[in-house]
């Protein structure tokens, strides 16, 4: 089956590219992917599979491919939302939706998985198990789509789950993997510091919220430098400090917003505890009133070591001309809601190089000039195909 699957994928490389370009021209934002979801669902019309639409808190789609022989059930996931970015990439298939762009490669993710799924459908008589294809909406915007799909219960029967992300860290043909914690978790905060306004000449008759806010910006960084284990990773970023007023007026309140990242649930707990302690201390020290909104968006992504080893071995032993090397990657600082699947289901999320040919310093995901080597789409399809075959061969 493996050899036949790879031949089928190779013969449909141009189709994958065409699908990717269509999706690239017609991007839709998270939770608004109605036309994209219809395009995906229409792809499966007339095929011998079960298709469920509107799964979770949006336009999620689950396609169930039941094999001809009994066995385990695995999931394969690709996301399909785009970003609120005005495209600057010089390509003939630029976004037709002003201010919206597939700047993270989800168009390529969807293209590879559609064709791979169709090939697996044609070969399903040879499958000793079941495959659930998960086309996920809204990865980019918390609370995301993954959590709600997991909570729907429609994946409760999965024994394993796999997914990929294209990244311009290597050229097409290079596949990366990471065992254990691989992506940061992420939290969001919004803090309002309420003081008492007054005349700039009379600070003793006021309570300056800007001074309290400035102190907070500095002291909150001690969470990372003095409270977090130095062997762990963490970031507290103050992304917004809204304290604009008039030069001779003491501001009565300020609002701060920020982004918090961590590479383990233990670090997440330490940072949140210390953050809230500092906010309480601010009230005591400066006599202000603080209103804090603190939301844990996505958990750290943890790749199960056993399933990650299966990924690495399946690809290293593939002897595939399109997969030129398989490398261990470092942990990465972005966040990814695939982490919600991996909290409940053992599996692995791995990486496909996509640096455009001849480019030494590529634009990374989320940049308005982000572009890929479209050879990476076939590499993604074959890599996941090899993992599927390797899993069922072992199970």
């Amino acid at each position: 089956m493996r050899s036949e699957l790879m031949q089928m994928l190779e013969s449909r490389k141009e189709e994958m590219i065409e699908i990717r370009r269509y999706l690239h021209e017609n991007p839709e934002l998270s939770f608004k992917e109605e036309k994209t979801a219809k395009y995906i669902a229409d792809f499966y019309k007339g095929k011998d599979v079960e298709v469920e639409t509107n799964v979770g808190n949006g336009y999620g789609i689950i396609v169930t491919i039941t094999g001809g022989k009994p066995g385990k059930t695995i999931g394969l996931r690709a996301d399909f939302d785009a970003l609120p970015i005005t495209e600057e990439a010089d390509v003939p298939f630029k976004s037709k939706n002003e201010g919206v762009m597939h700047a993270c490669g989800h168009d390529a993710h969807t293209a590879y998985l559609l064709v791979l799924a169709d090939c697996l459908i044609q070969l399903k008589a040879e499958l000793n198990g079941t495959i659930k294809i998960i086309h996920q909406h809204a990865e980019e915007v918390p609370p995301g789509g993954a959590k709600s799909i997991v909570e729907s219960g429609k994946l409760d029967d999965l024994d394993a789950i796999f997914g990929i992300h294209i990244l311009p860290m290597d050229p097409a043909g290079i596949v990366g993997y990471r065992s254990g914690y691989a992506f940061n978790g992420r939290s969001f905060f919004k803090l309002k510091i309420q003081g008492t306004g007054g005349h700039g000449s009379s600070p003793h008759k006021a309570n300056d919220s800007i001074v309290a806010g400035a102190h907070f910006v500095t002291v909150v960084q001690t969470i990372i430098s003095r409270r977090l284990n130095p062997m762990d990773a963490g970031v507290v970023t103050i992304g917004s400090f809204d304290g604009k007023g008039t030069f001779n007026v003491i501001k009565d309140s300020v609002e701060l917003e920020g982004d918090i990242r961590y590479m383990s649930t233990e670090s997440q707990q330490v940072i949140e505890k210390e953050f809230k302690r500092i906010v309480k201390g601010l009230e005591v020290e400066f006599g202000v009133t603080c209103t804090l909104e603190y939301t844990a968006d996505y958990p750290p992504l943890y790749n199960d070591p056993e399933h990650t080893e299966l990924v690495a071995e399946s690809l290293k032993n593939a002897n595939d001309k399109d997969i030129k090397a398989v490398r261990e990657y470092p942990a990465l600082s972005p966040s990814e809601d695939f982490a919600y699947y991996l909290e409940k289901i053992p599996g692995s999320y791995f990486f496909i190089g996509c640096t455009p040919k001849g480019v030494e310093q590529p634009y990374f995901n989320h940049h308005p000039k982000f572009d890929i080597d479209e050879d990476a789409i076939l590499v993604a399809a074959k890599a996941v195909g090899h993992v599927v075959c390797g899993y069922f061969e072992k199970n």
Side-chain angles (χ1 to χ4, degrees), residues 66-315:
T66 304
K69 306 166 190 175
K72 293 195 174 184
T73 300
I74 66 171
L76 306 177
R77 173 270 209 172
D79 37 19
F80 59 81
D81 56 328
L83 287 157
I85 293 174
T86 299
E87 182 163 15
E88 297 177 12
D90 185 19
V91 294
F93 46 90
K94 288 180 73 168
S95 171
K96 296 177 180 177
N97 189 353
E98 183 65 28
V100 183
M101 177 189 175
H102 269 297
C104 199
H106 298 184
D107 48 349
H109 297 174
T110 301
Y112 101 77
L113 189 56
L114 284 172
V115 174
L116 174 61
D118 191 32
C119 294
L120 290 168
I121 292 167
Q122 295 179 49
L123 296 171
K124 70 180 207 165
E126 300 178 46
L127 276 175
N128 58 323
T130 298
I131 301 174
K132 289 193 172 182
I133 304 295
I134 306 155
H135 293 286
Q136 186 206 305
H137 61 293
E139 185 276 329
E140 297 289 359
V141 176
K147 187 171 187 285
S148 67
I149 292 176
V150 171
E151 291 173 346
S152 74
K154 295 183 182 298
L155 304 181
D156 287 353
D157 57 345
L158 290 193
D159 296 296
I161 189 165
F162 301 97
I164 61 94
H165 206 301
I166 60 170
L167 295 173
M169 293 174 63
D170 276 309
I174 308 299
V175 181
Y177 66 93
R178 176 75 182 182
S179 185
Y181 285 111
F183 274 91
N184 268 335
R186 179 179 75 189
S187 295
F188 161 83
F189 79 86
K190 183 175 183 179
L191 175 64
K192 181 178 181 180
I193 301 173
Q194 182 67 55
T196 304
H199 197 285
S201 67
S202 304
H204 60 296
K205 295 182 179 180
N207 194 359
D208 195 336
S209 63
I210 287 182
V211 171
H215 178 77
F216 172 81
V217 170
T218 301
V219 75
V220 79
Q221 297 303 325
T222 64
I223 296 174
I224 305 302
S225 65
R226 288 296 177 267
R227 291 292 177 263
L228 203 62
N229 186 321
M231 303 307 294
D232 295 336
V235 176
V236 177
T237 295
I238 311 297
S240 173
F241 190 129
D242 186 3
K244 184 173 175 56
T246 304
F247 76 97
N248 62 348
V249 174
I250 292 173
K251 188 93 166 130
D252 71 332
S253 68
V254 294
E255 289 190 3
L256 298 85
E257 293 184 8
D259 182 61
I260 299 169
R261 306 281 174 145
Y262 34 82
M263 190 52 79
S264 70
T265 52
E266 293 77 16
S267 296
Q268 175 186 3
Q269 292 165 2
V270 169
I271 293 172
E272 182 173 352
K273 176 185 175 183
E274 294 297 323
F275 191 99
K276 291 178 177 178
R277 184 179 64 82
I278 287 172
V279 170
K280 287 182 180 179
L282 203 66
E283 292 183 313
V284 175
E285 185 174 1
F286 289 90
V288 295
T289 300
C290 295
T291 303
L292 175 64
E293 176 187 345
Y294 192 105
T295 305
D297 289 339
Y298 298 160
L301 187 150
Y302 183 83
N303 280 327
D304 177 71
E306 181 180 342
H307 288 77
T308 304
E309 183 180 357
L310 182 144
V311 167
E313 292 305 311
S314 295
L315 297 176

